Amino acid sequence: MRGWKFYDADDYHPEENRMKMRKGIPLNDQDRIPWLCNLHDILLRDVATGQHVVLACSALKKVYRDILIRGKDGGPRKCAEPGKEDKLAEVKLLVVHLSGSFEVISGRLLRRKGHFMPPELLQSQFDILEPPSAPENFIQISVDKDLSEIIATILKVLK
């Protein structure tokens, strides 16, 4: 998309996460939360300057998507100082959930070369996956569609 900045969240994993995945060890929440907070800060910085952003990210759980939107607390702050409004540092986020069968996604991962996440970790991601649902701002698109169809669907929703 012209004028939009693209980030691949995998590029921002700390080396410890990459090493863990290379060894075939699935990441846990403690591994992912600092990574997601860093991504939130990147999104917030760009959005604050008026930059539109696309982030490719395996935000598998609702709480992960909440962190991308609101930062480390993942939710509204409890209270502000008396007499002051608490302005949340939120990012407006449209989640594009690319859905597909384990077999299709596994086949694609097997063809991917040079990535630190081995295909053997895919099952652990399916195990914790919480597909987006209302009231989240999302669309779901099958990975069985052609790339051009996927892009057209996303662009239509963004207009």
Side-chain angles (χ1 to χ4, degrees):
M1 291 186 294
R2 242 178 232 169
W4 289 61
K5 201 173 210 179
F6 176 80
Y7 292 102
D8 184 335
D10 284 348
D11 294 341
Y12 295 87
H13 270 296
E15 189 56 34
E16 303 81 49
N17 286 6
R18 291 169 187 243
M19 286 174 36
K20 196 171 180 179
M21 286 185 274
R22 277 188 201 107
K23 293 177 183 175
I25 302 167
L27 298 180
N28 58 36
D29 288 353
Q30 290 73 29
D31 299 318
R32 287 188 178 103
I33 289 172
W35 167 69
L36 292 162
C37 288
N38 183 39
L39 294 169
H40 164 77
D41 292 345
I42 291 167
L43 295 174
L44 194 61
R45 179 195 67 215
D46 282 357
V47 169
T49 67
Q51 177 68 54
H52 293 293
V53 180
V54 173
L55 172 69
C57 181
S58 56
L60 300 167
K61 295 181 179 182
K62 183 181 183 313
V63 69
Y64 298 170
R65 297 184 293 274
D66 288 344
I67 291 169
L68 289 173
I69 295 168
R70 297 185 190 92
K72 75 173 179 155
D73 295 334
R77 295 198 175 90
K78 303 287 185 261
C79 59
E81 282 183 47
K84 286 191 178 178
E85 262 190 60
D86 190 16
K87 178 94 168 116
L88 284 177
E90 279 196 6
V91 173
K92 185 176 180 190
L93 187 70
L94 169 67
V95 174
V96 177
H97 177 66
L98 298 173
S99 62
S101 70
F102 181 88
E103 294 72 27
V104 167
I105 295 172
S106 178
R108 291 180 183 182
L109 286 179
L110 287 168
R111 291 189 300 274
R112 183 169 69 173
K113 303 291 179 224
H115 197 275
F116 52 82
M117 189 194 110
E120 297 78 32
L121 288 180
L122 181 61
Q123 186 60 57
S124 68
Q125 293 192 322
F126 266 80
D127 290 345
I128 67 166
L129 177 62
E130 296 172 7
S133 60
E136 289 182 89
N137 185 27
F138 77 99
I139 58 172
Q140 181 168 311
I141 305 173
S142 171
V143 296
D144 294 325
K145 292 183 183 263
D146 290 329
L147 181 57
S148 60
E149 284 182 88
I150 292 172
I151 293 169
T153 302
I154 295 167
L155 289 174
K156 184 177 170 188
V157 170
L158 289 174
K159 287 186 179 179

